[in-house]
Amino acid sequence: MYRQINKAGLIFTFLIMLMIPDILAQRGEKEEELKPIDRIFFGGNFSLMIGTITNIEISPLVGYHITPRLAAGTGIRFEYFRDKGFYYPYQTTIYGGNIFSRYIIIKNLGEGINLGLNTGLFTQLEYEILSLEKEYFDPPYTADGRFLAHSVLVGGGIIQPFGRRSALLLTILYNLNENARSPYSNPIIRMGVIF
């Protein structure tokens, strides 16, 4: 069953996430100020698998730290997939873009338990739109052409800094619109880097 997410509800959720830092600031939490140039970050994901199944994905992103804990950004995604399978060989491309917001709940897990860890926990909300081929993603898989798949992804993950501005992110997301036309199934696990 295909479920559509109301656009107004998505915008409302995004705005609520933007207010979280103000709520936390009222608790007396003091955050360091970021210089304007330090607020911009870049990053993304890259994956490569070559063999009987070839899968190449490139998904760069750019974002902005609204506060030291809250960031928002956008990205693009391109994926090439080919299966040289004996019974049903095929190849396709997937492309599109997304917008996201990410909030760091805990900046340093090791601070409270003295383990020497500098790992943080974050939540993420993402809206993604991808162009897919009907022949491979739209049941009954007989039509030509492409269609747009809309996904609302929610979840979180861990962030491991490895420099002043760089960090490794491991993200687990859940697609609220998962159905037969989705390009992937739940959960969605991503590893990426920001700098």
Side-chain angles (χ1 to χ4, degrees):
M1 181 170 104
Y2 184 68
R3 295 175 290 177
Q4 294 236 348
I5 299 296
N6 185 326
K7 290 179 185 176
L10 181 63
I11 292 168
F12 176 76
T13 304
F14 187 78
L15 292 174
I16 291 296
M17 288 187 71
L18 291 176
M19 290 188 281
I20 289 173
D22 294 330
I23 294 166
L24 291 176
Q26 292 174 5
R27 291 184 179 173
E29 185 176 328
K30 184 72 175 168
E31 295 283 0
E32 70 276 5
E33 281 297 316
L34 293 174
K35 296 176 186 172
I37 192 71
D38 290 336
R39 291 181 180 269
I40 300 170
F41 64 90
F42 302 92
N45 304 312
F46 173 77
S47 66
L48 176 66
M49 179 172 62
I50 298 176
T52 303
I53 296 177
T54 300
N55 190 2
I56 303 168
E57 179 186 345
I58 301 169
S59 52
L61 63 86
V62 62
Y64 185 78
H65 289 283
I66 299 165
T67 71
R69 290 185 183 246
L70 179 67
T74 186
I76 57 173
R77 176 178 173 196
F78 176 80
E79 184 174 354
Y80 170 78
F81 185 86
R82 182 180 68 196
D83 186 347
K84 296 181 189 176
F86 181 74
Y87 294 107
Y88 188 62
Y90 71 96
Q91 69 180 20
T92 186
T93 56
I94 299 170
Y95 51 86
N98 66 4
I99 57 171
F100 67 90
S101 63
R102 182 181 300 136
Y103 181 74
I104 298 175
I105 301 169
I106 300 172
K107 285 186 89 168
N108 187 348
L109 284 171
E111 204 170 78
I113 51 179
N114 291 329
L115 290 178
L117 297 174
N118 192 25
T119 303
L121 295 176
F122 66 88
T123 62
Q124 183 165 314
L125 173 66
E126 183 176 322
Y127 174 72
E128 180 180 66
I129 185 167
L130 297 175
S131 174
L132 307 170
E133 286 191 73
K134 291 180 180 179
E135 182 180 357
Y136 305 116
F137 294 99
D138 191 17
Y141 310 108
T142 55
D144 288 334
R146 300 185 77 87
F147 71 96
L148 296 177
H150 302 267
S151 299
V152 176
L153 310 172
V154 295
I158 59 172
I159 181 168
Q160 177 64 54
F162 60 87
R164 191 175 77 81
R165 292 178 41 104
S166 305
L168 182 68
L169 286 86
L170 176 64
T171 310
I172 300 174
L173 297 169
Y174 182 80
N175 183 1
L176 298 179
N177 291 356
E178 182 185 21
N179 57 59
R181 299 174 74 186
S182 298
Y184 31 61
S185 60
N186 288 319
I188 303 154
I189 301 172
R190 296 180 181 162
M191 188 178 307
V193 65
I194 58 171
F195 53 90

PDB file of all heavy atoms in Angstrom, residues 115-142:
ATOM      1  N   LEU A 115      35.331   7.208  29.437  1.00  0.00           N
ATOM      2  CA  LEU A 115      35.886   6.132  28.600  1.00  0.00           C
ATOM      3  C   LEU A 115      36.862   6.660  27.555  1.00  0.00           C
ATOM      4  O   LEU A 115      37.449   5.885  26.827  1.00  0.00           O
ATOM      5  CB  LEU A 115      34.759   5.374  27.894  1.00  0.00           C
ATOM      6  CG  LEU A 115      33.868   4.513  28.763  1.00  0.00           C
ATOM      7  CD1 LEU A 115      32.774   3.870  27.933  1.00  0.00           C
ATOM      8  CD2 LEU A 115      34.679   3.440  29.475  1.00  0.00           C
ATOM      9  N   GLY A 116      36.993   7.966  27.458  1.00  0.00           N
ATOM     10  CA  GLY A 116      37.888   8.536  26.463  1.00  0.00           C
ATOM     11  C   GLY A 116      37.284   8.579  25.072  1.00  0.00           C
ATOM     12  O   GLY A 116      37.976   8.831  24.102  1.00  0.00           O
ATOM     13  N   LEU A 117      36.001   8.316  24.963  1.00  0.00           N
ATOM     14  CA  LEU A 117      35.324   8.371  23.668  1.00  0.00           C
ATOM     15  C   LEU A 117      34.949   9.809  23.359  1.00  0.00           C
ATOM     16  O   LEU A 117      34.653  10.589  24.258  1.00  0.00           O
ATOM     17  CB  LEU A 117      34.052   7.524  23.685  1.00  0.00           C
ATOM     18  CG  LEU A 117      34.216   6.036  23.905  1.00  0.00           C
ATOM     19  CD1 LEU A 117      32.843   5.396  24.045  1.00  0.00           C
ATOM     20  CD2 LEU A 117      34.967   5.401  22.761  1.00  0.00           C
ATOM     21  N   ASN A 118      34.943  10.152  22.097  1.00  0.00           N
ATOM     22  CA  ASN A 118      34.474  11.468  21.673  1.00  0.00           C
ATOM     23  C   ASN A 118      33.301  11.290  20.717  1.00  0.00           C
ATOM     24  O   ASN A 118      33.084  12.073  19.829  1.00  0.00           O
ATOM     25  CB  ASN A 118      35.619  12.239  21.011  1.00  0.00           C
ATOM     26  CG  ASN A 118      35.269  13.696  20.821  1.00  0.00           C
ATOM     27  OD1 ASN A 118      34.439  14.235  21.528  1.00  0.00           O
ATOM     28  ND2 ASN A 118      35.895  14.328  19.848  1.00  0.00           N
ATOM     29  N   THR A 119      32.569  10.199  20.877  1.00  0.00           N
ATOM     30  CA  THR A 119      31.474   9.830  19.992  1.00  0.00           C
ATOM     31  C   THR A 119      30.175  10.488  20.442  1.00  0.00           C
ATOM     32  O   THR A 119      29.878  10.522  21.628  1.00  0.00           O
ATOM     33  CB  THR A 119      31.300   8.296  19.979  1.00  0.00           C
ATOM     34  OG1 THR A 119      32.534   7.705  19.592  1.00  0.00           O
ATOM     35  CG2 THR A 119      30.218   7.868  19.024  1.00  0.00           C
ATOM     36  N   GLY A 120      29.400  10.995  19.486  1.00  0.00           N
ATOM     37  CA  GLY A 120      28.119  11.609  19.790  1.00  0.00           C
ATOM     38  C   GLY A 120      26.964  10.840  19.177  1.00  0.00           C
ATOM     39  O   GLY A 120      27.153   9.970  18.324  1.00  0.00           O
ATOM     40  N   LEU A 121      25.754  11.171  19.606  1.00  0.00           N
ATOM     41  CA  LEU A 121      24.525  10.588  19.067  1.00  0.00           C
ATOM     42  C   LEU A 121      23.690  11.692  18.439  1.00  0.00           C
ATOM     43  O   LEU A 121      23.604  12.789  18.980  1.00  0.00           O
ATOM     44  CB  LEU A 121      23.710   9.917  20.170  1.00  0.00           C
ATOM     45  CG  LEU A 121      24.317   8.703  20.849  1.00  0.00           C
ATOM     46  CD1 LEU A 121      23.407   8.226  21.973  1.00  0.00           C
ATOM     47  CD2 LEU A 121      24.546   7.585  19.859  1.00  0.00           C
ATOM     48  N   PHE A 122      23.061  11.390  17.284  1.00  0.00           N
ATOM     49  CA  PHE A 122      22.228  12.391  16.615  1.00  0.00           C
ATOM     50  C   PHE A 122      20.948  11.767  16.087  1.00  0.00           C
ATOM     51  O   PHE A 122      20.840  10.550  15.940  1.00  0.00           O
ATOM     52  CB  PHE A 122      23.004  13.064  15.463  1.00  0.00           C
ATOM     53  CG  PHE A 122      23.357  12.152  14.325  1.00  0.00           C
ATOM     54  CD1 PHE A 122      22.473  11.948  13.269  1.00  0.00           C
ATOM     55  CD2 PHE A 122      24.569  11.491  14.296  1.00  0.00           C
ATOM     56  CE1 PHE A 122      22.793  11.106  12.214  1.00  0.00           C
ATOM     57  CE2 PHE A 122      24.907  10.653  13.251  1.00  0.00           C
ATOM     58  CZ  PHE A 122      24.018  10.464  12.209  1.00  0.00           C
ATOM     59  N   THR A 123      19.966  12.637  15.832  1.00  0.00           N
ATOM     60  CA  THR A 123      18.735  12.246  15.146  1.00  0.00           C
ATOM     61  C   THR A 123      18.740  12.932  13.785  1.00  0.00           C
ATOM     62  O   THR A 123      19.394  13.961  13.601  1.00  0.00           O
ATOM     63  CB  THR A 123      17.471  12.671  15.922  1.00  0.00           C
ATOM     64  OG1 THR A 123      17.449  14.086  16.033  1.00  0.00           O
ATOM     65  CG2 THR A 123      17.425  12.041  17.287  1.00  0.00           C
ATOM     66  N   GLN A 124      18.009  12.347  12.836  1.00  0.00           N
ATOM     67  CA  GLN A 124      17.983  12.926  11.491  1.00  0.00           C
ATOM     68  C   GLN A 124      16.608  12.757  10.872  1.00  0.00           C
ATOM     69  O   GLN A 124      15.958  11.726  11.026  1.00  0.00           O
ATOM     70  CB  GLN A 124      19.043  12.259  10.611  1.00  0.00           C
ATOM     71  CG  GLN A 124      19.125  12.846   9.219  1.00  0.00           C
ATOM     72  CD  GLN A 124      20.391  12.436   8.489  1.00  0.00           C
ATOM     73  OE1 GLN A 124      21.477  12.480   9.047  1.00  0.00           O
ATOM     74  NE2 GLN A 124      20.250  12.049   7.243  1.00  0.00           N
ATOM     75  N   LEU A 125      16.183  13.795  10.160  1.00  0.00           N
ATOM     76  CA  LEU A 125      14.958  13.789   9.365  1.00  0.00           C
ATOM     77  C   LEU A 125      15.358  14.161   7.947  1.00  0.00           C
ATOM     78  O   LEU A 125      16.104  15.113   7.746  1.00  0.00           O
ATOM     79  CB  LEU A 125      13.950  14.799   9.916  1.00  0.00           C
ATOM     80  CG  LEU A 125      12.691  15.023   9.091  1.00  0.00           C
ATOM     81  CD1 LEU A 125      11.836  13.770   9.067  1.00  0.00           C
ATOM     82  CD2 LEU A 125      11.893  16.187   9.644  1.00  0.00           C
ATOM     83  N   GLU A 126      14.883  13.398   6.968  1.00  0.00           N
ATOM     84  CA  GLU A 126      15.302  13.620   5.578  1.00  0.00           C
ATOM     85  C   GLU A 126      14.126  13.405   4.630  1.00  0.00           C
ATOM     86  O   GLU A 126      13.311  12.508   4.833  1.00  0.00           O
ATOM     87  CB  GLU A 126      16.425  12.634   5.250  1.00  0.00           C
ATOM     88  CG  GLU A 126      17.011  12.767   3.878  1.00  0.00           C
ATOM     89  CD  GLU A 126      18.188  11.818   3.674  1.00  0.00           C
ATOM     90  OE1 GLU A 126      18.977  11.619   4.616  1.00  0.00           O
ATOM     91  OE2 GLU A 126      18.289  11.269   2.562  1.00  0.00           O
ATOM     92  N   TYR A 127      14.048  14.255   3.627  1.00  0.00           N
ATOM     93  CA  TYR A 127      13.076  14.084   2.546  1.00  0.00           C
ATOM     94  C   TYR A 127      13.885  13.852   1.273  1.00  0.00           C
ATOM     95  O   TYR A 127      14.770  14.632   0.940  1.00  0.00           O
ATOM     96  CB  TYR A 127      12.190  15.321   2.390  1.00  0.00           C
ATOM     97  CG  TYR A 127      11.281  15.238   1.196  1.00  0.00           C
ATOM     98  CD1 TYR A 127      10.193  14.381   1.200  1.00  0.00           C
ATOM     99  CD2 TYR A 127      11.531  15.999   0.066  1.00  0.00           C
ATOM    100  CE1 TYR A 127       9.361  14.291   0.097  1.00  0.00           C
ATOM    101  CE2 TYR A 127      10.704  15.914  -1.042  1.00  0.00           C
ATOM    102  CZ  TYR A 127       9.629  15.056  -1.022  1.00  0.00           C
ATOM    103  OH  TYR A 127       8.813  14.967  -2.124  1.00  0.00           O
ATOM    104  N   GLU A 128      13.590  12.766   0.581  1.00  0.00           N
ATOM    105  CA  GLU A 128      14.361  12.388  -0.608  1.00  0.00           C
ATOM    106  C   GLU A 128      13.415  12.154  -1.773  1.00  0.00           C
ATOM    107  O   GLU A 128      12.337  11.581  -1.618  1.00  0.00           O
ATOM    108  CB  GLU A 128      15.150  11.106  -0.304  1.00  0.00           C
ATOM    109  CG  GLU A 128      15.983  10.599  -1.449  1.00  0.00           C
ATOM    110  CD  GLU A 128      16.734   9.347  -1.066  1.00  0.00           C
ATOM    111  OE1 GLU A 128      16.092   8.306  -0.824  1.00  0.00           O
ATOM    112  OE2 GLU A 128      17.967   9.402  -1.001  1.00  0.00           O
ATOM    113  N   ILE A 129      13.827  12.604  -2.949  1.00  0.00           N
ATOM    114  CA  ILE A 129      13.067  12.351  -4.172  1.00  0.00           C
ATOM    115  C   ILE A 129      14.037  11.766  -5.191  1.00  0.00           C
ATOM    116  O   ILE A 129      15.101  12.319  -5.441  1.00  0.00           O
ATOM    117  CB  ILE A 129      12.377  13.635  -4.684  1.00  0.00           C
ATOM    118  CG1 ILE A 129      11.492  13.331  -5.883  1.00  0.00           C
ATOM    119  CG2 ILE A 129      13.367  14.725  -4.984  1.00  0.00           C
ATOM    120  CD1 ILE A 129      10.552  14.460  -6.245  1.00  0.00           C
ATOM    121  N   LEU A 130      13.681  10.587  -5.733  1.00  0.00           N
ATOM    122  CA  LEU A 130      14.550   9.876  -6.669  1.00  0.00           C
ATOM    123  C   LEU A 130      13.802   9.561  -7.956  1.00  0.00           C
ATOM    124  O   LEU A 130      12.612   9.259  -7.945  1.00  0.00           O
ATOM    125  CB  LEU A 130      15.053   8.564  -6.051  1.00  0.00           C
ATOM    126  CG  LEU A 130      15.929   8.677  -4.810  1.00  0.00           C
ATOM    127  CD1 LEU A 130      16.232   7.299  -4.254  1.00  0.00           C
ATOM    128  CD2 LEU A 130      17.209   9.429  -5.120  1.00  0.00           C
ATOM    129  N   SER A 131      14.523   9.597  -9.068  1.00  0.00           N
ATOM    130  CA  SER A 131      13.992   9.196 -10.363  1.00  0.00           C
ATOM    131  C   SER A 131      14.373   7.734 -10.601  1.00  0.00           C
ATOM    132  O   SER A 131      15.556   7.389 -10.594  1.00  0.00           O
ATOM    133  CB  SER A 131      14.572  10.079 -11.473  1.00  0.00           C
ATOM    134  OG  SER A 131      14.163   9.610 -12.737  1.00  0.00           O
ATOM    135  N   LEU A 132      13.370   6.902 -10.813  1.00  0.00           N
ATOM    136  CA  LEU A 132      13.570   5.457 -10.988  1.00  0.00           C
ATOM    137  C   LEU A 132      12.943   4.987 -12.292  1.00  0.00           C
ATOM    138  O   LEU A 132      11.974   5.571 -12.762  1.00  0.00           O
ATOM    139  CB  LEU A 132      12.925   4.693  -9.828  1.00  0.00           C
ATOM    140  CG  LEU A 132      13.326   5.109  -8.416  1.00  0.00           C
ATOM    141  CD1 LEU A 132      12.418   4.429  -7.402  1.00  0.00           C
ATOM    142  CD2 LEU A 132      14.769   4.775  -8.152  1.00  0.00           C
ATOM    143  N   GLU A 133      13.475   3.908 -12.849  1.00  0.00           N
ATOM    144  CA  GLU A 133      12.906   3.327 -14.074  1.00  0.00           C
ATOM    145  C   GLU A 133      11.705   2.448 -13.735  1.00  0.00           C
ATOM    146  O   GLU A 133      11.774   1.590 -12.848  1.00  0.00           O
ATOM    147  CB  GLU A 133      13.961   2.502 -14.800  1.00  0.00           C
ATOM    148  CG  GLU A 133      14.998   3.346 -15.500  1.00  0.00           C
ATOM    149  CD  GLU A 133      15.877   2.515 -16.420  1.00  0.00           C
ATOM    150  OE1 GLU A 133      15.379   2.092 -17.483  1.00  0.00           O
ATOM    151  OE2 GLU A 133      17.037   2.296 -16.053  1.00  0.00           O
ATOM    152  N   LYS A 134      10.605   2.669 -14.436  1.00  0.00           N
ATOM    153  CA  LYS A 134       9.387   1.897 -14.200  1.00  0.00           C
ATOM    154  C   LYS A 134       9.615   0.406 -14.425  1.00  0.00           C
ATOM    155  O   LYS A 134       9.036  -0.420 -13.732  1.00  0.00           O
ATOM    156  CB  LYS A 134       8.263   2.385 -15.119  1.00  0.00           C
ATOM    157  CG  LYS A 134       7.764   3.767 -14.787  1.00  0.00           C
ATOM    158  CD  LYS A 134       6.662   4.193 -15.726  1.00  0.00           C
ATOM    159  CE  LYS A 134       6.159   5.574 -15.383  1.00  0.00           C
ATOM    160  NZ  LYS A 134       5.113   6.026 -16.295  1.00  0.00           N
ATOM    161  N   GLU A 135      10.458   0.068 -15.385  1.00  0.00           N
ATOM    162  CA  GLU A 135      10.702  -1.330 -15.728  1.00  0.00           C
ATOM    163  C   GLU A 135      11.230  -2.142 -14.544  1.00  0.00           C
ATOM    164  O   GLU A 135      10.999  -3.342 -14.448  1.00  0.00           O
ATOM    165  CB  GLU A 135      11.702  -1.403 -16.887  1.00  0.00           C
ATOM    166  CG  GLU A 135      12.002  -2.801 -17.357  1.00  0.00           C
ATOM    167  CD  GLU A 135      12.994  -2.816 -18.500  1.00  0.00           C
ATOM    168  OE1 GLU A 135      13.413  -1.745 -18.970  1.00  0.00           O
ATOM    169  OE2 GLU A 135      13.366  -3.928 -18.921  1.00  0.00           O
ATOM    170  N   TYR A 136      11.923  -1.495 -13.601  1.00  0.00           N
ATOM    171  CA  TYR A 136      12.537  -2.221 -12.489  1.00  0.00           C
ATOM    172  C   TYR A 136      11.919  -1.912 -11.131  1.00  0.00           C
ATOM    173  O   TYR A 136      12.119  -2.668 -10.180  1.00  0.00           O
ATOM    174  CB  TYR A 136      14.038  -1.905 -12.427  1.00  0.00           C
ATOM    175  CG  TYR A 136      14.727  -2.191 -13.726  1.00  0.00           C
ATOM    176  CD1 TYR A 136      15.313  -1.179 -14.463  1.00  0.00           C
ATOM    177  CD2 TYR A 136      14.769  -3.479 -14.257  1.00  0.00           C
ATOM    178  CE1 TYR A 136      15.940  -1.435 -15.673  1.00  0.00           C
ATOM    179  CE2 TYR A 136      15.385  -3.751 -15.455  1.00  0.00           C
ATOM    180  CZ  TYR A 136      15.965  -2.725 -16.165  1.00  0.00           C
ATOM    181  OH  TYR A 136      16.569  -2.980 -17.360  1.00  0.00           O
ATOM    182  N   PHE A 137      11.186  -0.798 -11.002  1.00  0.00           N
ATOM    183  CA  PHE A 137      10.683  -0.401  -9.689  1.00  0.00           C
ATOM    184  C   PHE A 137       9.179  -0.187  -9.619  1.00  0.00           C
ATOM    185  O   PHE A 137       8.672   0.096  -8.536  1.00  0.00           O
ATOM    186  CB  PHE A 137      11.374   0.904  -9.237  1.00  0.00           C
ATOM    187  CG  PHE A 137      12.839   0.744  -8.980  1.00  0.00           C
ATOM    188  CD1 PHE A 137      13.769   1.123  -9.931  1.00  0.00           C
ATOM    189  CD2 PHE A 137      13.296   0.207  -7.790  1.00  0.00           C
ATOM    190  CE1 PHE A 137      15.122   0.974  -9.697  1.00  0.00           C
ATOM    191  CE2 PHE A 137      14.643   0.051  -7.535  1.00  0.00           C
ATOM    192  CZ  PHE A 137      15.563   0.441  -8.493  1.00  0.00           C
ATOM    193  N   ASP A 138       8.451  -0.273 -10.712  1.00  0.00           N
ATOM    194  CA  ASP A 138       7.018   0.011 -10.702  1.00  0.00           C
ATOM    195  C   ASP A 138       6.232  -1.227 -11.123  1.00  0.00           C
ATOM    196  O   ASP A 138       6.165  -1.548 -12.311  1.00  0.00           O
ATOM    197  CB  ASP A 138       6.717   1.182 -11.646  1.00  0.00           C
ATOM    198  CG  ASP A 138       5.312   1.718 -11.489  1.00  0.00           C
ATOM    199  OD1 ASP A 138       4.669   1.421 -10.461  1.00  0.00           O
ATOM    200  OD2 ASP A 138       4.859   2.440 -12.400  1.00  0.00           O
ATOM    201  N   PRO A 139       5.626  -1.962 -10.162  1.00  0.00           N
ATOM    202  CA  PRO A 139       4.855  -3.157 -10.534  1.00  0.00           C
ATOM    203  C   PRO A 139       3.760  -2.796 -11.524  1.00  0.00           C
ATOM    204  O   PRO A 139       3.169  -1.734 -11.383  1.00  0.00           O
ATOM    205  CB  PRO A 139       4.256  -3.635  -9.211  1.00  0.00           C
ATOM    206  CG  PRO A 139       5.114  -3.005  -8.164  1.00  0.00           C
ATOM    207  CD  PRO A 139       5.630  -1.718  -8.746  1.00  0.00           C
ATOM    208  N   PRO A 140       3.504  -3.560 -12.544  1.00  0.00           N
ATOM    209  CA  PRO A 140       3.952  -4.922 -12.846  1.00  0.00           C
ATOM    210  C   PRO A 140       5.249  -4.992 -13.659  1.00  0.00           C
ATOM    211  O   PRO A 140       5.515  -6.007 -14.298  1.00  0.00           O
ATOM    212  CB  PRO A 140       2.787  -5.510 -13.634  1.00  0.00           C
ATOM    213  CG  PRO A 140       2.242  -4.324 -14.380  1.00  0.00           C
ATOM    214  CD  PRO A 140       2.436  -3.149 -13.444  1.00  0.00           C
ATOM    215  N   TYR A 141       6.066  -3.960 -13.624  1.00  0.00           N
ATOM    216  CA  TYR A 141       7.410  -3.941 -14.221  1.00  0.00           C
ATOM    217  C   TYR A 141       7.400  -4.131 -15.744  1.00  0.00           C
ATOM    218  O   TYR A 141       8.265  -4.769 -16.310  1.00  0.00           O
ATOM    219  CB  TYR A 141       8.314  -5.004 -13.583  1.00  0.00           C
ATOM    220  CG  TYR A 141       8.296  -4.957 -12.079  1.00  0.00           C
ATOM    221  CD1 TYR A 141       7.651  -5.957 -11.339  1.00  0.00           C
ATOM    222  CD2 TYR A 141       8.888  -3.919 -11.388  1.00  0.00           C
ATOM    223  CE1 TYR A 141       7.628  -5.915  -9.955  1.00  0.00           C
ATOM    224  CE2 TYR A 141       8.869  -3.861 -10.001  1.00  0.00           C
ATOM    225  CZ  TYR A 141       8.240  -4.869  -9.295  1.00  0.00           C
ATOM    226  OH  TYR A 141       8.214  -4.812  -7.933  1.00  0.00           O
ATOM    227  N   THR A 142       6.414  -3.568 -16.411  1.00  0.00           N
ATOM    228  CA  THR A 142       6.326  -3.714 -17.863  1.00  0.00           C
ATOM    229  C   THR A 142       6.389  -2.381 -18.603  1.00  0.00           C
ATOM    230  O   THR A 142       6.589  -2.366 -19.816  1.00  0.00           O
ATOM    231  CB  THR A 142       5.014  -4.425 -18.257  1.00  0.00           C
ATOM    232  OG1 THR A 142       3.918  -3.704 -17.705  1.00  0.00           O
ATOM    233  CG2 THR A 142       5.006  -5.858 -17.758  1.00  0.00           C
TER     234      THR A 142
END
